[in-house]
Amino acid sequence: MTPEQHFEALKTRFHEVALLQSAADALEWDERTGLPAKAGEYRAAQVTLLRGMIHQQRTAAAVGEHLEALRDSRLADDPTSDVGATIARLDEDYQRERKLPQDLVEALASATVLGQQKWDAARKADDYAAFQPALSEILSLKRQAAAHQQTDGQTLYDAMIHEFEPGARSADIAAVFADLRNQLVPLVESLQAAPRQPNTDLLRRDYPIDAQRAFSRFAAEAIGFDFQRGRLDITSHPFCTSLGPDDSRILTRYETNWFPGGLYGTMHEAGHGMYDQGLRTEWYGMPPGSYVSLGIHESQSRLWENLVGRSLPFWKFAFPHAQKAFPGALSDVSLDELHFAVNGVRPSLIRVEADEATYNLHVIIRFELEQQLVADELNVADLPDAWNEKYRQMLNVESPTFADGVLQDVHWSAGLFGYFPTYAIGNLCAAQLYDAAVRDLGDIETAMAAGDLSGLLGWLRKHIHRHGRVYDPNTLMQNATGQPVNSEALINSLKSRYEPLYGVGE
Amino acid sequence: MTPEQHFEALKTRFHEVALLQSAADALEWDERTGLPAKAGEYRAAQVTLLRGMIHQQRTAAAVGEHLEALRDSRLADDPTSDVGATIARLDEDYQRERKLPQDLVEALASATVLGQQKWDAARKADDYAAFQPALSEILSLKRQAAAHQQTDGQTLYDAMIHEFEPGARSADIAAVFADLRNQLVPLVESLQAAPRQPNTDLLRRDYPIDAQRAFSRFAAEAIGFDFQRGRLDITSHPFCTSLGPDDSRILTRYETNWFPGGLYGTMHEAGHGMYDQGLRTEWYGMPPGSYVSLGIHESQSRLWENLVGRSLPFWKFAFPHAQKAFPGALSDVSLDELHFAVNGVRPSLIRVEADEATYNLHVIIRFELEQQLVADELNVADLPDAWNEKYRQMLNVESPTFADGVLQDVHWSAGLFGYFPTYAIGNLCAAQLYDAAVRDLGDIETAMAAGDLSGLLGWLRKHIHRHGRVYDPNTLMQNATGQPVNSEALINSLKSRYEPLYGVGE
């Protein structure tokens, strides 16, 4: 076989893998949009079978043989070409995945599907004890998997992070987080003590769900989500999933008396969906058509949710539409009042509803707790107490329920340990990317205020989306922004938005 | 290997087949409940891959070896036992399916997924020409498949019917249909000329969609559909599908100004769903846990839709709820007026909205047309003219659009030739089963008028559902009703309901 034939054989196989993968993802999407109460066990069996088949296909000996033949061939000469990067990334994936025994992969697939069902029921019943055995089981399986995949110098937790943020290490992340916290804490304190405070009560008025759905769809369309290639649905915990090159599904939840929940849930997930929609479809399921890391994925969602969605230019455009959609709630409200309200900073219980300033503290709490769980320094039974203690310390809030405390996030029930830190990395990258776009494009905010947000999306398509996994996340950020990932842009962005609103320093 | 070990190996394999089958069905359910416009092609590729894998699994040489070892073993001694029937039915399936080449199976899967998308678009655009090439392609592939599977004495069309109604032959069906038509035509004529006529205009008042959804759900629950093991959604063409032993999906469509559409669509599909829910879950995907034929499946839907849903006892119970749900439309309407209105008989265009009396004429038209298409006596290009001609002859109606004419049904776009006659068989069986239940249970209508419909469902569970495919359809009907399938019960049922309402013979 020529190198070209080996490469074609790999492409054919990974096309089939992508079909199976997206089919399994479709079953999981369906599971979270209204699966009948008693259908969970069978659904778990369906997903388990498909995930097992996917793992077999990706780790088959034939894949190793093709990669062996390609590794030193001329096709691998340029690792920044689509073909060269494909060979390099698939080789890395293959080496890593074949370390996992098939039975462990299947056990994990089953435990995490059932775990999410247990979590959902436990959250509804506000009963941590009902979830605890499932969590213990998942944690134990994840530790076994990490032990198989751990490389020299990696902690077990580092091996888990690698799955989401290739090459990142917990010690480095801890250093960045310390830096971030050092700058955030005084900022939050100054805002809490500031002369002007937002009237966030107006966000708790009556916002009918049907109107929220229509307005959320309008906002997602306005920022560039393509509804010909995706849809928006309701679920209990917002997420985004790709069920094919032209099928991005975003999901949010609505509360009548909390306007930002549904809207920013939608804008956040639409940001993820627009990244997926910007990947090159002809490479779907292959490294050049895949996202590079969860941190970069999150940078796309946070950029549209916060840098755009909470900006004054966006609201100059969107406010008249909002007043029309919610005449009962917004007829006596001004643009400036609403803009200030959606930029309210207050330590709170729920991560996904937290403001930008305190959000990273929620992430740091989870980052610390899951490190302890994985290192066996914290028992699963003691997790709720540890959770509550950290929330008291860092945010000075206390949840009266498990549902709004330790059970608020789906992640651990889905086996996602090492995933939370990518949220803060996403915040850092979002601010850096926005600054770089403004540097390259000049004034984008005048057009934004007139409802044209295409410039920013075009810049992201060119500098982030179209590259897929061709470069590693650090190189991609360096190329796009001229800098390594750091906290300066985020802190500057928060200060420049908050300080005039709150009258800090006046 | 012992016979028991061969049987266990078969069970394990068919458990996996059922998982893949229900996963593919889930993708098709999703395709018909809001797939993004541009996602169709990739969805077709996903389903094609899964259907190909299913066919490979079902026709693998290993299956033949297990069946070979079991065929003359003691486990096959009693063909009416669960185990014996499993061996017999799987053997029949295997012999039939392995006649189909893998590439033809995949071509059919792909053509019919794309065909349904083309049909949906063509129907929306009212453009038959846009659908014609897809239909030609599907018909050609179906004829090839039938040529592979045809047995001695079967026409190509008989081989197609066999897939849905095992053992049925077109010549026999034509004879029953002639008999039915001979009795129906004078009945319909007498009703058209009758002294009293229903006020069906009241069904065209304003019935808000949200209230219809709630009332349809209420009706489905009242007749016994288990929402813990199923759900109700909206689609363009009502259907029912089983995505697991505890996951029956029913789908309907609503029009504001046509009350019976959404309600009877729901009751019809709920009847199908209740059959699926009554199959034994421990045999899911195996013959004892599978439906026996489409005719029997349809008998369940028609029984609940018509024999129950259009009866006076049902409306005695349901009418106060309907008045509460639709105060604007029904506050000045009496029980008798509504009951008469939902029993309106009038030749019309749309099969799924046709009354019971004329419905079978819609079926006979399709039965005749598809026989001609399959026998190459009618060209696909000439189908719309032939369709219109038959509607003029038999029902004296003419469709101004393709959408309400030849494009009204999804079936042919999904490759379902030989499927339509099972609808009329279902009507015949429904009436026979209802009579037999009354014969066995005595008065069930008093309880029904009080909202208790459990007696009838229990009788169907015992005499139909729990037997799965253990008996052939004819034996099952003979055992349940004491008679072979015939038209007497249906004609009697229609006359006894219609004649007093219309004042015929007074």
Side-chain angles (χ1 to χ4, degrees), chain A residues 343-364:
Chain A
N343 281 289
V345 172
R346 179 175 295 179
S348 65
L349 285 174
I350 307 292
R351 176 184 60 82
V352 296
E353 288 168 5
D355 57 80
E356 284 176 83
T358 57
Y359 184 90
N360 297 295
L361 298 174
H362 291 264
V363 172
I364 292 170

Side-chain angles (χ1 to χ4, degrees), chain A residues 265-456:
Chain A
T266 301
M267 293 184 75
H268 179 99
E269 302 307 335
H272 282 304
M274 286 149 64
Y275 183 14
D276 289 339
Q277 291 182 336
L279 296 168
R280 285 176 290 163
T281 56
E282 69 273 26
W283 285 101
Y284 184 80
M286 298 284 273
S290 303
Y291 70 88
V292 64
S293 77
L294 286 190
I296 297 296
H297 223 315
E298 189 70 6
S299 76
Q300 301 304 293
S301 60
R302 300 304 266 179
L303 188 153
W304 292 102
E305 176 191 0
N306 290 330
L307 281 291
V308 173
R310 297 183 202 268
S311 73
L312 188 58
F314 174 77
W315 280 108
K316 280 185 179 161
F317 153 64
F319 185 66
H321 298 276
Q323 272 194 319
K324 212 169 182 175
F326 310 104
L330 294 180
S331 59
D332 63 343
V333 172
S334 73
L335 165 62
D336 287 338
E337 284 171 314
L338 184 65
H339 177 240
F340 196 6
V342 299
N343 281 289
V345 172
R346 179 175 295 179
S348 65
L349 285 174
I350 307 292
R351 176 184 60 82
V352 296
E353 288 168 5
D355 57 80
E356 284 176 83
T358 57
Y359 184 90
N360 297 295
L361 298 174
H362 291 264
V363 172
I364 292 170
I365 288 171
R366 288 155 177 78
F367 172 71
E368 293 182 358
L369 288 173
E370 64 183 15
Q371 277 193 91
Q372 292 174 5
L373 285 170
V374 171
D376 228 357
E377 293 163 4
L378 174 64
N379 195 298
V380 169
D382 300 327
L383 177 60
D385 286 342
W387 176 284
N388 291 335
E389 180 56 27
K390 284 201 186 288
Y391 264 83
R392 271 191 297 270
Q393 280 176 10
M394 288 201 212
L395 286 154
N396 197 28
V397 293
E398 186 145 15
S399 174
T401 63
F402 294 120
D404 288 341
V406 69
L407 290 179
Q408 72 181 260
D409 291 310
V410 70
H411 300 65
W412 291 334
S413 76
L416 303 175
F417 290 86
Y419 187 114
F420 282 117
T422 68
Y423 288 136
I425 294 169
N427 284 332
L428 301 169
C429 294
Q432 266 181 261
L433 289 170
Y434 190 88
D435 282 358
V438 171
R439 180 200 64 200
D440 286 358
L441 300 173
D443 171 28
I444 57 175
E445 301 193 340
T446 304
M448 201 182 286
D452 176 8
L453 293 91
S454 59
L456 185 55

